[in-house]
Amino acid sequence: EGYLSLVKKALFSSKKDRFISKNPPNTGRIKLILEMFPNAKFIFIHRDPMETYMSTTSFIKKTMVLPKLQDISDKELKRNIHWQYFKLMNSYIKNKPLIPKENLIEIRFEEFEKQPLQHIEEIYKQLRIPGFSKAENIFKEYIERKKSHERKNYHIPKQIQSEIYQSWQFAF
């Protein structure tokens, strides 16, 4: 009920008829989403698990400073991230076959970065979403604005690389 309420509010607020969610936990909610929205379309952008780990760690350390109720050790944080990603990706792999093939597109993040407009067009085509030509210039302008954005290059110590690979080997 809460999720449906969120979707309805977003649609009402935006005055649109299509809800788009870029919420990583939804990766593990395929079954529920399909029960609620049988014709839901899914875009799975797979990122290198090493980059995902480092980015998630950085994000949590930055965003949880103010709202946290207690301190968490780096060891506990690491354990939580390993567990969450493992559960999320296993749920995705297990439930992916429930998605009709015409409603799913999977893209490697590194490939998307190289040619974003071409991949966006492919998403529209494969998922049969009308209006790409109408929105193309908006996408071009957005991509142009983002060209100056520099991705963070993480130095990942060998020990952490080994731990990530052992824990998430299935995702590589």
Side-chain angles (χ1 to χ4, degrees):
E1 286 178 24
Y3 192 72
L4 189 56
S5 175
L6 170 79
V7 170
K8 287 179 179 179
K9 287 176 184 177
L11 291 171
F12 179 78
S13 174
S14 67
K15 298 177 179 63
K16 304 288 182 187
D17 60 358
R18 183 177 308 276
F19 176 73
I20 299 174
S21 173
K22 182 188 173 274
N23 185 355
N26 282 343
T27 306
R29 296 182 179 130
I30 291 171
K31 192 173 181 179
L32 176 65
I33 291 170
L34 286 172
E35 286 171 6
M36 294 173 70
F37 310 103
N39 196 35
K41 300 183 187 304
F42 296 83
I43 304 164
F44 181 74
I45 301 179
H46 180 269
R47 191 172 182 189
D48 175 349
M50 298 285 179
E51 292 275 326
T52 299
Y53 175 82
M54 297 304 289
S55 174
T56 302
T57 302
S58 175
F59 173 78
I60 290 172
K61 285 184 174 185
K62 287 178 188 169
T63 59
M64 290 300 159
V65 173
L66 293 176
K68 70 180 180 179
L69 298 175
Q70 66 189 51
D71 289 328
I72 183 171
S73 70
D74 284 346
K75 185 177 179 180
E76 185 73 16
L77 176 62
K78 185 190 315 182
R79 194 168 39 246
N80 287 347
I81 293 170
H82 278 274
W83 178 82
Q84 287 172 353
Y85 183 85
F86 183 85
K87 295 286 284 182
L88 198 66
M89 291 303 295
N90 272 299
S91 179
Y92 176 74
I93 291 166
K94 175 184 167 196
N95 291 302
K96 181 172 93 166
L98 300 174
I99 304 170
K101 290 195 186 312
E102 66 275 9
N103 288 352
L104 172 66
I105 186 167
E106 296 178 303
I107 304 167
R108 290 190 68 227
F109 179 75
E110 295 78 11
E111 295 302 317
F112 184 85
E113 270 190 320
K114 291 176 190 171
Q115 297 183 309
L117 190 62
Q118 290 83 348
H119 284 287
I120 293 169
E121 185 174 15
E122 180 60 29
I123 289 167
Y124 270 74
K125 283 180 185 172
Q126 188 167 328
L127 298 180
R128 297 172 326 283
I129 301 170
F132 175 77
S133 58
K134 192 173 165 183
E136 185 174 8
N137 284 333
I138 295 167
F139 289 130
K140 284 179 180 176
E141 290 171 13
Y142 179 81
I143 291 165
E144 191 59 38
R145 285 194 315 268
K146 294 297 177 180
K147 278 188 176 176
S148 63
H149 174 74
E150 290 186 34
R151 277 186 62 206
K152 190 166 185 176
N153 288 323
Y154 297 103
H155 167 71
I156 309 171
K158 293 281 186 208
Q159 176 64 30
I160 291 179
Q161 287 182 30
S162 177
E163 291 169 5
I164 294 168
Y165 188 75
Q166 286 175 1
S167 181
W168 300 347
Q169 186 174 3
F170 69 96
F172 279 86

